[in-house]
Amino acid sequence: MNKISLIIIANFLIILLSCSTAIKTGQKEFITKLPNKIQNNKLYIKMTMNISLENLNNQANAEIRLSGYDSISMILTAQFGLPIARLYAIDDYFALYNMFEDVIYEGNPNKLSFQELLLLPISLENLIDILNCQPYSSPDEFNLVSIDENKGIVLFSNTTPNGVEYLLYS
């Protein structure tokens, strides 16, 4: 046999032996309690959204920068990178510049002013929770509902004055 054949056979045997000596990990571990919220997260998100409303199809892009719960910066652009809006917010102040109408909206980023501006019932803290993939409520308020081992999912729930909040972990 030539040297190349010996090298191929040796590599095959090494791979075969390393696979056969792998340690089995046993059963899957599922979380039964939610982790605490991330407080000092610095996050940069770049996303593209496709919007379809009846006969209207459009695309928007967003660049979002977070620094914990202290501040958020969001820039929305339309097709071809044309800027359409900018949002800057800190704990007690936000400014949204609508470039289409050349109007600046300012206020306190509480639930009422954000709801009036964005037509969504959320506050600045709720928006940051959504972007961090975290629940609105404290993780301690959630109870374990079920674990589906076949699908690998865990369901939590929390009863609030506004209804029930569910979290599904996969």
Side-chain angles (χ1 to χ4, degrees), residues 15-153:
I15 291 172
L16 183 65
L17 288 174
S18 65
C19 291
S20 65
T21 58
I23 299 170
K24 293 184 178 180
T25 58
Q27 292 184 336
K28 295 179 184 175
E29 295 285 328
F30 292 98
I31 62 170
T32 56
K33 186 175 189 247
L34 291 176
N36 292 329
K37 284 189 176 186
I38 300 168
Q39 295 295 326
N40 297 320
N41 192 24
K42 296 196 183 326
L43 185 65
Y44 173 74
I45 301 170
K46 189 172 184 176
M47 64 182 173
T48 300
M49 300 166 279
N50 293 317
I51 303 161
S52 298
L53 300 171
E54 294 181 14
N55 296 331
L56 177 68
N57 293 323
N58 213 332
Q59 182 179 2
N61 300 309
E63 284 189 38
I64 304 167
R65 289 178 172 81
L66 293 175
S67 180
Y69 283 90
D70 298 328
S71 62
I72 184 171
S73 165
M74 187 182 305
I75 300 170
L76 298 172
T77 58
Q79 291 177 338
F80 308 115
L82 299 171
I84 55 175
R86 293 178 187 254
L87 170 72
Y88 300 101
I90 56 175
D91 288 341
D92 58 354
Y93 174 78
F94 79 88
L96 175 74
Y97 177 42
N98 181 342
M99 295 178 186
F100 276 146
E101 299 172 355
D102 196 28
V103 176
I104 296 177
Y105 300 95
E106 297 178 295
N108 186 341
N110 60 22
K111 189 173 184 175
L112 291 176
S113 60
F114 254 46
Q115 183 173 358
E116 185 179 305
L117 179 66
L118 302 175
L119 303 175
L120 295 172
I122 61 172
S123 65
L124 174 64
E125 184 178 342
N126 296 149
L127 179 62
I128 292 172
D129 284 335
I130 290 170
L131 294 171
N132 278 322
C133 299
Q134 298 181 136
Y136 290 172
S137 307
S138 170
D140 297 333
E141 297 174 6
F142 283 86
N143 298 315
L144 179 65
V145 174
S146 67
I147 296 175
D148 187 340
E149 293 183 15
N150 294 331
K151 294 181 182 176
I153 58 175

Side-chain angles (χ1 to χ4, degrees), residues 4-15:
I4 294 176
S5 299
L6 288 175
I7 292 173
I8 292 174
I9 292 172
N11 284 335
F12 177 74
L13 289 174
I14 290 171
I15 291 172

